[in-house]
Amino acid sequence: QSEFQVLQQQAFKIGRESKDNAELVRHPEMSEYLTTVREFNPKLESIVGEFEREYRRATGKKIPKSKKAKKGKAKSEHDEGWYEAALARARAALAEDSRAYRSRAMDLVSTFHERQQQMADRQRDLQLMMDGPDWPREGWPLTAQDAKRVGDAEQVIQASLQGLSGRLDALGGLGRLHESSDEAALEEMTVLNELMASYSEMMEQYTAKVKRLQRKAGKAKRK
């Protein structure tokens, strides 16, 4: 454990002393750090193997293997729940809207453009806060799980956009949607709008976390 902590602290030190990826590559301790990591991996594998043997000796059983995701399953349980929630909100909103098809379609197209711009703005806001090299930093508020959630959400949105684009192409494009009577297309667009709004809220929360960290770091420097 102490050896791992030394490696972790060295990684944090390299990150603190590098302003960008170019400086990261040239850092004088980078070569030593990578060599130590490569030497540490066999030790870790040996420890895991020893633990497995002790477990089998004590219980008479092998350590259960972690369950692998089923092949062909495009979405995780979180993704499916996120999509289903957006679908439920979309259907509820559509059920409450009794206006003519043309009016609903035109409003949805306008909202679609707004949501796309909102997503781009929120992505840019977070990117501007994430200055420095692509390297772990001590006290960084966003986790690997947070990054996975963002990536998974973007994949769901992209898949939904591709499905909607195929349907819109058959109608003559987005600009012709209000001239059709395709209620399924309206539902797909409403779901996509909900997904993009939810994504923007998530990105806004992450940006707020990073801002709080930077404010704390600024106060600590002034003391």
Side-chain angles (χ1 to χ4, degrees):
Q1 183 180 1
S2 60
E3 189 172 353
F4 172 77
Q5 289 174 341
V6 169
L7 272 174
Q8 187 181 51
Q9 291 304 314
Q10 187 179 17
F12 289 148
K13 179 176 180 291
I14 292 172
R16 286 194 301 269
E17 296 174 355
S18 304
K19 294 180 180 179
D20 52 37
N21 287 337
E23 286 194 7
L24 186 67
V25 172
R26 296 195 300 267
H27 194 281
E29 294 185 22
M30 178 58 74
S31 179
E32 176 191 349
Y33 172 77
L34 294 176
T35 300
T36 306
V37 169
R38 283 193 290 267
E39 293 174 349
F40 182 72
N41 282 338
K43 296 179 184 179
L44 183 61
E45 291 174 359
S46 176
I47 292 171
V48 171
E50 184 177 347
F51 175 77
E52 290 178 344
R53 288 190 292 273
E54 287 298 324
Y55 180 90
R56 187 163 53 247
R57 187 180 299 116
T59 65
K61 301 178 182 179
K62 292 183 178 181
I63 295 178
K65 298 288 185 180
S66 58
K67 293 182 179 180
K68 295 182 179 179
K70 295 181 180 179
K71 292 183 179 180
K73 190 172 182 181
K75 299 176 183 177
S76 68
E77 291 182 3
H78 171 264
D79 296 335
E80 289 178 346
W82 190 56
Y83 180 87
E84 291 299 326
L87 178 60
R89 292 194 300 271
R91 287 177 173 172
L94 288 170
E96 293 176 359
D97 195 341
S98 58
R99 294 176 300 162
Y101 177 90
R102 180 185 178 88
S103 298
R104 289 183 288 134
M106 292 180 70
D107 277 357
L108 280 175
V109 170
S110 176
T111 301
F112 174 74
H113 289 306
E114 291 175 5
R115 294 286 185 267
Q116 283 188 311
Q117 184 60 52
Q118 187 180 43
M119 269 188 63
D121 290 344
R122 295 297 174 269
Q123 288 172 332
R124 186 179 64 253
D125 290 344
L126 183 57
Q127 188 61 43
L128 289 173
M129 303 298 296
M130 295 173 66
D131 57 344
D134 301 326
W135 194 255
R137 282 182 279 175
E138 195 169 10
W140 185 247
L142 304 184
T143 65
Q145 185 62 30
D146 292 330
K148 184 178 184 304
R149 284 188 66 194
V150 172
D152 290 346
E154 289 174 351
Q155 287 183 2
V156 173
I157 290 173
Q158 187 61 34
S160 298
L161 181 59
Q162 289 176 352
L164 177 62
S165 295
R167 184 179 289 275
L168 291 175
D169 287 344
L171 299 175
L174 183 62
R176 306 295 294 274
L177 176 63
H178 67 282
E179 297 175 1
S180 71
S181 57
D182 193 337
E183 292 288 347
L186 290 193
E187 179 176 289
E188 287 187 29
M189 179 167 285
T190 306
V191 172
L192 183 55
N193 287 345
E194 288 288 340
L195 290 172
M196 290 191 290
S198 180
Y199 173 90
S200 295
E201 290 175 4
M202 178 171 61
M203 295 294 283
E204 192 170 5
Q205 291 171 1
Y206 290 160
T207 300
K209 282 185 178 182
V210 177
K211 284 182 178 178
R212 285 196 294 271
L213 172 69
Q214 292 186 348
R215 282 198 297 268
K216 288 181 180 179
K219 290 179 181 179
K221 287 181 179 179
R222 290 193 293 269
K223 288 183 180 180

